[in-house]
């Protein structure tokens, strides 16, 4: 066949698109990843982090350091007689953060007053109630007949628990809080202001805390039972060996060897926040943002929220369910079965 009589097959691919030539086995399933990416970029992300610990441990500073912006405000110094809140206050601050076209709504939930009283008995209860209230709000939206296409997510995805740098052992308050709250939320414990400890004191303190967590049956994030495969287990085992993270927070910039760094300046030198030889802030940041953020959210939805949802629906299967169906003008399932059998 001469060149002039050869059939012409135009290229259906757009300019710059990847061609697969004579690869007739190619279907295009991998394109789903780009579709998911575009949809996620359009919708944006939500992340709700709770910080818990007594006053003066640097909770606000650490959150500002994590997200490199003023996402958590330091409380204004009150009058001496009002310095210690009589009860725990729950304060939420939301921010829209954008980086390289990726938008995220970050909500930081602070708990001023926790652990600041002489008698801290049951001081975990308002925090437990707040977490459950967010689950309840999500559940109410979910069971509406005309529910929203995308339910606003105010559920607490992660609770960063600040442990004072005593260097000895966990306080009864620390044990009680983490024992109770680890059943309803992902807890990531950190040793606050770790630069007040020597490296030997820090290692001993971390080992002691890990032993106490095991002895009290406290399962902090990442939980072993939720490892999906051997690769996950290997990665998460390294993180579990590091917990609690010994962290230092700072929103002050200094020049060190010609580079700008976040750190704390002392008479003996500058503690570099992101230098893993100085503290474990970088590991905490990677866990919360760069490697495990989606997993933290998945466990919140599929484990913690689901546990609350099942319990809530079971305990309210009677009168609460009746009110829901009556309010919607619908018969319950049993009534529908009876009417169909007549």
């Amino acid at each position: 066949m001469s060149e002039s009589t050869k059939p012409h097959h135009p290229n259906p691919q757009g300019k710059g698109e990847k061609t697969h030539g004579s690869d007739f086995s190619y279907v295009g399933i991998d394109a789903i990843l780009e579709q998911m990416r575009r949809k996620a970029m359009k919708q944006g992300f939500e992340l709700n982090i709770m910080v818990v610990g007594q006053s003066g441990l640097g909770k606000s500073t650490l959150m500002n350091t994590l997200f490199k912006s003023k996402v958590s405000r330091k409380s204004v110094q009150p009058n001496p007689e009002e310095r210690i809140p009589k009860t725990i206050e729950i304060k939420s601050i939301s921010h829209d953060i954008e980086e390289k076209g990726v938008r995220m709504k970050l909500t930081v939930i602070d708990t001023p007053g926790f652990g600041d009283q002489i008698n801290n008995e049951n001081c975990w209860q308002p925090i437990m109630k707040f977490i459950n209230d967010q689950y309840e709000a999500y559940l109410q939206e979910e069971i509406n007949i005309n529910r929203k296409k995308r339910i606003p997510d105010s559920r607490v995805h992660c609770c960063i628990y600040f442990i004072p740098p005593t260097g000895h052992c966990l306080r009864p308050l620390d044990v009680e809080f983490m024992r109770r709250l680890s059943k309803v939320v992902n807890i990531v414990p950190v040793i606050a202001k770790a630069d007040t400890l020597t490296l030997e004191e820090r290692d001993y303190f971390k080992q002691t805390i890990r032993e106490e967590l095991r002895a009290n049956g406290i399962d902090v994030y990442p939980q072993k039972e939720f490892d999906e495969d051997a690769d996950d287990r290997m990665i998460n085992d390294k993180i579990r060996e590091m917990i609690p993270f010994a962290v230092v927070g700072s929103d002050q910039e200094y020049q060190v060897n010609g580079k700008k760094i976040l750190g704390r300046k002392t008479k003996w030198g500058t503690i570099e926040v992101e230098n893993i030889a100085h503290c474990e802030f970088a590991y905490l940041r990677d866990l919360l943002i760069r490697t495990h953020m989606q997993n933290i959210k998945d466990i919140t939805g599929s484990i913690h929220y689901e546990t609350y949802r099942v319990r809530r629906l079971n305990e309210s299967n009677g009168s609460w369910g009746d009110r829901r169906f009556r309010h919607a003008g619908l018969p319950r399932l049993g009534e529908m079965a009876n009417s169909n059998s007549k």
Side-chain angles (χ1 to χ4, degrees), residues 116-135:
D116 292 338
Q117 305 297 318
I118 295 174
N119 180 7
N120 288 301
E121 186 177 3
N122 296 333
C123 67
W124 48 267
Q125 286 181 342
I127 297 172
M128 175 80 86
K129 181 180 182 302
F130 179 87
I131 292 171
N132 284 333
D133 284 349
Q134 308 319 304
Y135 290 152

Side-chain angles (χ1 to χ4, degrees), residues 42-54:
K42 190 181 295 183
Q43 290 181 341
F45 300 89
E46 295 170 308
L47 180 65
N48 307 317
I49 297 180
M50 174 179 276
V51 290
V52 179
Q54 68 186 56

